[in-house]
Amino acid sequence: MKKLIFYIFILCSTLIFSKTVNSTKVLLLNKLNTSIKIDGIIDDAWIKADSVSDFVQFQPYNAQIPTQKTIAKVITTENSLFCLMVCYDKKENIQNFTGKLDEYSGDVVSFMIDTFGDSRTAYKFAVSAGGVRSDCRLLDDARNRDYNWDGIWFAQSKIYDWGFVAEMEIPYKSIQYDKTISEWGLDFDRWRPIISEDIYWCAYEENEGQRISKFGSLILNDFRPTVSGLNLEIYPVGIAKTTYLKSEKYKTNFDAGVDIFYNPSEALTFQFTANPDFAQIEADPFNFNISRYESYFNEKRPFFTEGNEVFSPSGKQRNTGFYRPLELFYSRRIGKLLPDGTEVPLQIGTRAFGRMNDYEYGGFFAMTGETKYKDDDENLIEKKAVFGSARIKKQILENSSIGLLFVGKHHQDEDNGVLDVDGAFRGGNWQLAYQVARSFKNDEGDFAASAGYTQFMDNWIHLFRSRYIGNKFDIDQIGYVPWKGTSNTVLLTGPRWQYDEGYTRAILLYFGGYLGWEKADNYSDYGAILGYNMNFRNNWGFEINLDAGNSKDESIYYSSYSANLSSWFNISPKWNGNVWGGYQHSYNFSREYLAFYSWGGFEINWNVLNYLSLGTSYDMFIEGNPDNDIEDITYNARPYFSLTPINDLSIKMYADNVFVKSSDKLEQVILGFLFAYNFSPKSWIYFAINEVRDRSDRYDDNNNLQPRTMHVKNRAGVFKLKYLYYF
């Protein structure tokens, strides 16, 4: 109860904080009676469009005049919104890559619109000089991005001797908007990788980052979009899958499914899936874990990722990642993989999400089938289950929010669920997020709570997070909160130096402490933290942090300490990379003793050609023993290549290798191949081959254990066709 009173006190105290002020930049939206051809050639019709050219640098020199001129125009027809961006530059300076923007950057321009005028959410449409498209939704005043949003829109670019032109068309039936307002939020962005220059139409403080609340205004004049239509998307899916059994025997299955999206209004979306196929080329990356808690893996299935921000708690921040709210809805629990590799089938799933005035809401329902599987030669059954979730969130105090979330699972013998209240209070350079939840598992339950405060001022930072998990807070069937019976608090502060000129962009020095309690050890760990971060104007930097304190694990009291180093390099359009490493003295739960543990690795990506990328990641994990000697070393490498001869067609291949020093052998190899062609909006052809080899136990027909050699554990080939019918 004391903890709940503490969180309520924090929330109430923030009401005195100041509000943000909107930008005064304005662009008028004029209407055309004829359409514009999207080809990168400037039609005469663009003369009727209002334009802006007063861009300003965000980086490398904040608030300075850009090095090259950029002109942006917006105009509309009855059915679509059009954007034109004219980018002046020398032809040899323009980086022109094919593929997808999440893999190949190059010169990129973006068009962003806040269609509800709420200063909190917006659409972002980006296109490169090579004509590669990317889109996302900006959330929480641009503190977060939803890259899973996939809209239907059109774009084309054309390079000239004097620069390049990008044209975009966004059909009104592809986006949601408020029919009643006459003013939308608006901004433009241009990225020049040749000198790492990022410019916007609107000005933003470098310590804050982009903010929707500081967007300019797109005045709709006498025009209001009225497109309604059927707004129905149907995706029939056909699948042919061949799976390796054993002894060179294979099984081939043919199946079909359907996905449906329906927007009955500009502010409401229904989603339905029946018999979806979740076959994917990339297995989860190798994860080395010496803690007492299970590993976390990201969701990759489109049905769960698109629109998932509605069901997510408030407060995540893309730029810091310091505050991590409890993940009460972990969709990988639905249709999960069982110990023998069997996948629980998702028979049907449906979702609805939308908004009304200051409210956002969503609902989710799914049903999984009964599945038989084996675990240590024991025959078991995963029973049929029903999952459900409901969410409502309200915008308050202009740019803050409060929400209510329910998640539950029901099957024959058990009910597991959680009810949550969460929200965030926000200013331009600060955010206070909070969360209070109550779980139930049949007749038992408990409380959990979390809170986090971040503030990045010009010359100082403040970071705080705290988390409490009750001993009986069990949501293992629906969420990811494995830290039962624990509490943890971290407080950091320190000076920050920003430089308007010179090679160094910013320096950050932070210090503070931590306090953590675990019921399993009945002890409060505590210690101090010191960190140093440097960022340079040519897009590289590094961070070092140290911590030391006292800990207890498995009845052992000891001095804990660790050192971490990370560095990032993005100083050329052709390649980028990361390097990391660390050393710590802590308890190794996988080996059940106290010892040192060290790690190191790197990741590099090289754009060899405009259409070919090579890269690899490499990790090394060193485990010590109580005698301070090396117990074992595990190596993990994941080389890959990606070929995109034309936009929207890609060929990828990777090999994930795990080598263990004690056995002096490769213990696991995962090979993946993917051909993907986006031949029409939201319509794809996939061909994938996936193979897993390892040294796991295997038996002959007489149930005799065979020699421990590398063998095929799983091999599958999938052909998948997904086609969009758009009404």
Side-chain angles (χ1 to χ4, degrees):
M1 182 59 68
K2 290 181 179 179
K3 291 182 178 291
L4 293 178
I5 294 173
F6 169 71
Y7 291 132
I8 293 171
F9 173 76
I10 292 178
L11 299 180
C12 294
S13 67
T14 60
L15 296 178
I16 62 173
F17 287 0
S18 61
K19 300 178 181 180
T20 56
V21 179
N22 290 333
S23 170
T24 57
K25 290 195 170 185
V26 173
L27 187 144
L28 300 178
L29 182 64
N30 299 322
K31 184 184 175 185
L32 279 176
N33 294 322
T34 59
S35 188
I36 293 177
K37 185 177 180 181
I38 303 300
D39 54 8
I41 300 174
I42 304 175
D43 297 341
D44 292 339
W46 281 111
I47 297 174
K48 298 182 180 180
D50 195 8
S51 66
V52 296
S53 60
D54 52 337
F55 283 71
V56 63
Q57 284 194 48
F58 177 71
Q59 66 176 38
Y61 299 100
N62 188 260
Q64 299 300 307
I65 297 173
T67 58
Q68 297 291 332
K69 185 177 180 179
T70 305
I71 299 174
K73 294 188 174 187
V74 180
I75 203 165
T76 188
T77 63
E78 191 68 30
N79 298 315
S80 297
L81 186 66
F82 294 84
C83 175
L84 170 74
M85 295 194 70
V86 182
C87 305
Y88 292 90
D89 206 344
K90 295 180 179 179
K91 187 174 183 179
E92 58 268 24
N93 288 340
I94 299 172
Q95 305 299 313
N96 175 22
F97 298 111
T98 59
K100 298 177 65 177
L101 285 185
D102 56 355
E103 299 168 351
Y104 304 89
S105 54
D107 283 71
V108 179
V109 294
S110 302
F111 168 50
M112 292 155 283
I113 45 174
D114 171 10
T115 57
F116 284 89
D118 61 9
S119 299
R120 189 163 47 93
T121 60
Y123 292 101
K124 178 176 180 177
F125 304 92
V127 59
S128 75
V132 184
R133 297 180 302 114
S134 178
D135 53 33
C136 72
R137 290 191 65 223
L138 307 181
L139 309 171
D140 297 332
D141 202 9
R143 288 173 170 83
N144 288 303
R145 306 283 193 271
D146 176 20
Y147 289 102
N148 298 305
W149 183 78
D150 187 14
I152 298 176
W153 58 287
F154 310 93
Q156 189 57 262
S157 299
K158 187 175 179 62
I159 298 175
Y160 299 88
D161 291 338
W162 47 264
F164 72 95
V165 170
E167 286 185 300
M168 310 178 209
E169 177 187 358
I170 297 94
Y172 285 114
K173 65 179 180 179
S174 296
I175 58 176
Q176 295 180 323
Y177 54 88
D178 187 342
K179 282 184 176 181
T180 65
I181 60 176
S182 60
E183 182 178 324
W184 289 358
L186 174 69
D187 199 9
F188 306 95
D189 179 25
R190 178 183 176 185
W191 167 249
R192 296 185 65 232
I194 192 71
I195 59 169
S196 299
E197 183 182 63
D198 196 12
I199 66 172
Y200 289 89
W201 179 43
C202 301
Y204 305 105
E205 299 294 331
E206 195 167 8
N207 62 306
E208 293 179 11
Q210 185 186 29
R211 291 289 179 262
I212 300 171
S213 53
K214 293 186 177 181
F215 272 19
S217 297
L218 178 65
I219 305 299
L220 302 190
N221 245 344
D222 298 327
F223 169 78
R224 299 289 186 280
T226 57
V227 174
S228 53
L230 186 58
N231 298 324
L232 177 65
E233 302 176 16
I234 301 176
Y235 306 88
V237 180
I239 309 122
K241 185 174 182 179
T242 299
T243 306
Y244 178 79
L245 300 175
K246 63 178 182 178
S247 304
E248 299 304 320
K249 294 180 181 178
Y250 293 84
K251 178 179 70 174
T252 301
N253 293 324
F254 297 93
D255 209 346
V258 65
D259 294 322
I260 298 174
F261 285 81
Y262 175 46
N263 295 326
S265 74
E266 298 81 8
L268 177 63
T269 296
F270 285 108
Q271 185 179 3
F272 174 81
T273 186
N275 194 31
D277 174 72
F278 291 143
Q280 55 192 36
I281 181 62
E282 287 198 63
D284 289 321
F286 174 74
N287 181 264
F288 195 86
N289 186 355
I290 66 168
S291 77
R292 59 165 34 126
Y293 304 110
E294 68 168 310
S295 298
Y296 178 86
F297 295 99
N298 290 325
E299 178 63 86
K300 300 178 181 178
R301 300 171 293 180
F303 176 74
F304 292 107
T305 57
E306 188 164 346
N308 66 350
E309 77 281 355
V310 176
F311 302 94
S312 300
S314 302
K316 284 187 178 180
Q317 288 187 270
R318 178 181 57 92
N319 56 341
T320 67
F322 179 78
Y323 172 61
R324 298 184 288 271
L326 305 175
E327 186 142 1
L328 305 178
F329 182 24
Y330 185 35
S331 57
R332 287 188 62 128
R333 305 293 192 202
I334 305 174
K336 62 185 178 182
L337 289 176
L338 299 171
D340 65 351
T342 303
E343 184 179 279
V344 177
L346 174 60
Q347 295 177 336
I348 61 169
T350 184
R351 300 197 298 178
F353 47 90
R355 59 194 302 160
M356 180 182 296
N357 298 324
D358 292 335
Y359 289 90
E360 292 181 62
Y361 55 88
F364 172 87
F365 173 83
M367 184 168 66
T368 56
E370 184 173 284
T371 309
K372 297 179 180 179
Y373 68 100
K374 282 189 175 184
D375 188 10
D376 292 332
D377 293 328
E378 182 181 1
N379 293 318
L380 300 171
I381 296 177
E382 177 75 14
K383 297 179 181 179
K384 181 185 295 185
V386 173
F387 296 82
S389 179
R391 173 68 159 167
I392 186 168
K393 189 190 308 184
K394 186 181 189 303
Q395 183 178 354
I396 60 175
L397 301 176
E398 289 193 352
N399 200 20
S400 302
S401 65
I402 184 170
L404 182 69
L405 172 69
F406 168 79
V407 186
K409 174 186 178 182
H410 169 77
H411 66 71
Q412 182 178 349
D413 302 322
E414 185 178 273
D415 287 305
N416 189 202
V418 65
L419 184 65
D420 161 75
V421 177
D422 63 80
F425 292 94
R426 301 185 180 95
N429 64 3
W430 62 269
Q431 173 181 271
L432 172 64
Y434 62 93
Q435 182 181 40
V436 180
R438 168 75 181 186
S439 72
F440 63 87
K441 190 170 185 178
N442 292 335
D443 296 330
E444 290 191 339
D446 212 336
F447 283 97
S450 67
Y453 179 77
T454 59
Q455 184 174 25
F456 282 79
M457 298 181 289
D458 290 339
N459 301 314
W460 207 270
I461 69 160
H462 300 295
L463 303 172
F464 166 82
R465 69 174 181 233
S466 186
R467 181 182 71 199
Y468 166 78
I469 314 294
N471 192 49
K472 293 184 179 180
F473 189 84
D474 185 351
I475 58 169
D476 290 348
Q477 297 299 311
I478 54 173
Y480 180 83
V481 186
W483 315 282
K484 302 177 187 67
T486 68
S487 63
N488 179 271
T489 298
V490 179
L491 176 63
L492 299 174
T493 188
R496 185 171 186 258
W497 296 272
Q498 294 191 98
Y499 301 95
D500 295 332
E501 298 178 350
Y503 186 63
T504 303
R505 177 184 297 160
I507 296 176
L508 170 64
L509 176 67
Y510 57 89
F511 46 86
Y514 65 88
L515 178 66
W517 179 82
E518 291 183 288
K519 181 178 177 61
D521 300 307
N522 195 25
Y523 182 79
S524 294
D525 298 353
Y526 62 92
I529 301 171
L530 176 66
Y532 183 78
N533 179 295
M534 287 193 72
N535 272 281
F536 302 97
R537 281 206 157 77
N538 61 346
N539 266 11
W540 82 275
F542 69 88
E543 181 169 353
I544 300 172
N545 61 66
L546 311 169
D547 67 74
N550 291 323
S551 299
K552 178 187 176 184
D553 285 306
E554 302 297 319
S555 301
I556 299 175
Y557 296 88
Y558 63 96
S559 296
S560 60
Y561 49 86
S562 71
N564 296 269
L565 167 68
S566 61
S567 185
W568 50 94
F569 306 88
N570 192 19
I571 59 179
S572 166
K574 293 291 186 180
W575 70 274
N576 60 77
N578 298 276
V579 178
W580 55 83
Y583 178 94
Q584 72 180 36
H585 180 244
S586 63
Y587 194 85
N588 187 328
F589 284 91
S590 66
R591 296 188 181 271
E592 299 181 343
Y593 55 60
L594 177 67
F596 76 85
Y597 169 58
S598 186
W599 64 94
F602 66 87
E603 183 174 5
I604 188 169
N605 182 83
W606 178 30
N607 294 320
V608 185
L609 301 168
N610 288 347
Y611 52 85
L612 176 63
S613 175
L614 303 177
T616 188
S617 63
Y618 179 84
D619 280 287
M620 178 174 62
F621 308 96
I622 305 172
E623 296 176 276
N625 60 31
D627 296 326
N628 214 32
D629 295 325
I630 294 177
E631 180 70 22
D632 210 346
I633 305 177
T634 302
Y635 307 88
N636 176 225
R638 192 180 175 97
Y640 65 88
F641 79 82
S642 180
L643 178 67
T644 55
I646 59 173
N647 290 339
D648 301 320
L649 186 151
S650 65
I651 300 170
K652 301 179 183 179
M653 188 169 183
Y654 76 94
D656 193 306
N657 309 282
V658 179
F659 182 90
V660 178
K661 188 178 187 305
S662 58
S663 66
D664 199 31
K665 291 181 174 66
L666 278 173
E667 294 294 331
Q668 177 181 278
V669 177
I670 302 176
L671 302 174
F673 171 85
L674 174 66
F675 171 89
Y677 179 37
N678 183 199
F679 61 91
S680 184
K682 289 191 175 182
S683 300
W684 292 84
I685 295 174
Y686 295 100
F687 175 64
I689 299 174
N690 202 13
E691 177 173 305
V692 179
R693 291 176 172 264
D694 65 12
R695 298 180 186 274
S696 58
D697 290 344
R698 57 176 179 158
Y699 300 85
D700 61 20
D701 295 336
N702 297 319
N703 207 32
N704 296 316
L705 183 65
Q706 294 185 319
R708 193 172 181 274
T709 58
M710 184 73 75
H711 61 276
V712 176
K713 183 179 181 181
N714 185 34
R715 179 186 292 153
V718 178
F719 178 81
K720 183 175 178 180
L721 175 62
K722 178 179 180 180
Y723 185 75
L724 167 66
Y725 289 96
Y726 187 44
F727 301 91

